[in-house]
Amino acid sequence: MGKVHVFDHPLIQHKLSYIRDVHTGTKEFRELVDEVGMLMAYEVTRDLELQDVEVETPVTKMIAKRLTGKKLAFVPILRAGLGMTQGILTLVPAARIGHVGLYRDPETLEAVEYFVKLPQDIEEREIVVVDPMLATGASAIEAINSLKKRGAKNIRFMCLIAAPEGVEKLQAAHEDVDIFIAALDEKLDEHAYITPGLGDAGDRLFGTK
């Protein structure tokens, strides 16, 4: 079973309090989500493998550490996942970015794939799927289904806020996926909104309703 990591870093929690605040405007909201995305990526990549390499400093030669193994790909779920992407790229500028677009069928309420664009060598990369919210889990599950259908194997999921119901469903559907969360909230309400949550992340990021 994949592990669930809930971050308690003071900077993440501080910024998250402003992200939740209904009085935070679009510009500040966008900047804060970007910043928390970068801070979370720092934690999510903590166990990347390193290898010894010889480098020459202005003083002498030495053995230093550089990343080895599989290369990284971050895959935001459209559209709200885009809000966390630039912060991630600030930290890991060489990472490839894929995209998965999903919409909710109004009758079945299931997530339906409408767009997927991934690096050609996706099966060789360590992948982090990115979305601000994990509510019912439907979008995350379908996004990971889309990746696995295309050969992806090593997948993690990263979000700002999750509901216990979504975490449970994602774990049941994809036992091999570790989940990284800035905050685990109380529950889903009758409209499947995370409570206390932060509202609709996409609308607050892009100034839409």
Side-chain angles (χ1 to χ4, degrees):
M1 177 69 72
K3 296 178 181 178
V4 178
H5 309 262
V6 181
F7 297 144
D8 59 359
H9 193 289
L11 285 177
I12 291 176
Q13 295 306 313
H14 171 76
K15 292 175 186 294
L16 195 58
S17 74
Y18 287 98
I19 289 172
R20 290 184 187 274
D21 194 327
V22 69
H23 301 294
T24 298
T26 300
K27 177 180 180 292
E28 189 180 3
F29 185 91
R30 192 178 295 147
E31 291 170 348
L32 288 163
V33 169
D34 189 65
E35 291 167 4
V36 173
M38 180 171 62
L39 290 168
M40 291 187 70
Y42 178 85
E43 294 289 342
V44 170
T45 57
R46 179 177 291 278
D47 63 351
L48 294 180
E49 293 183 11
L50 296 169
Q51 64 180 348
D52 292 337
V53 296
E54 185 180 273
V55 300
E56 186 172 355
T57 78
V59 179
T60 185
K61 291 183 179 180
M62 66 164 288
I63 301 300
K65 301 288 187 182
R66 285 183 182 162
L67 291 173
T68 186
K70 299 175 182 178
K71 296 179 180 179
L72 280 169
F74 290 87
V75 181
I77 299 176
L78 301 179
R79 65 182 166 142
L82 293 173
M84 300 172 70
T85 305
Q86 189 55 52
I88 292 166
L89 283 174
T90 301
L91 187 68
V92 197
R96 298 292 177 90
I97 302 296
H99 297 89
V100 174
L102 303 167
Y103 70 90
R104 180 178 291 184
D105 185 293
E107 294 184 2
T108 67
L109 302 182
E110 295 294 320
V112 180
E113 172 192 306
Y114 70 86
F115 179 81
V116 178
K117 188 72 172 179
L118 303 171
Q120 289 185 342
D121 59 350
I122 195 69
E123 70 281 353
E124 300 174 9
R125 292 182 176 267
E126 294 194 34
I127 302 160
V128 183
V129 177
V130 180
D131 200 13
M133 313 293 281
L134 178 60
T136 65
S139 294
I141 291 168
E142 186 54 38
I144 294 170
N145 285 340
S146 296
L147 291 169
K148 287 184 174 180
K149 284 190 295 186
R150 292 164 173 83
K153 301 177 182 68
N154 191 335
I155 304 172
R156 304 174 183 192
F157 180 82
M158 180 175 109
C159 69
L160 295 182
I161 295 177
E165 297 92 329
V167 171
E168 183 178 344
K169 288 184 179 179
L170 180 53
Q171 283 190 302
H174 295 289
E175 295 182 349
D176 56 329
V177 173
D178 283 2
I179 304 170
F180 296 83
I181 304 166
L184 183 61
D185 276 15
E186 295 173 12
K187 61 180 181 179
L188 294 177
D189 68 12
E190 62 273 18
H191 303 294
Y193 273 84
I194 300 175
T195 303
L198 53 77
D200 187 293
D203 285 344
R204 295 192 68 189
L205 279 165
F206 300 110
T208 55
K209 291 184 178 180

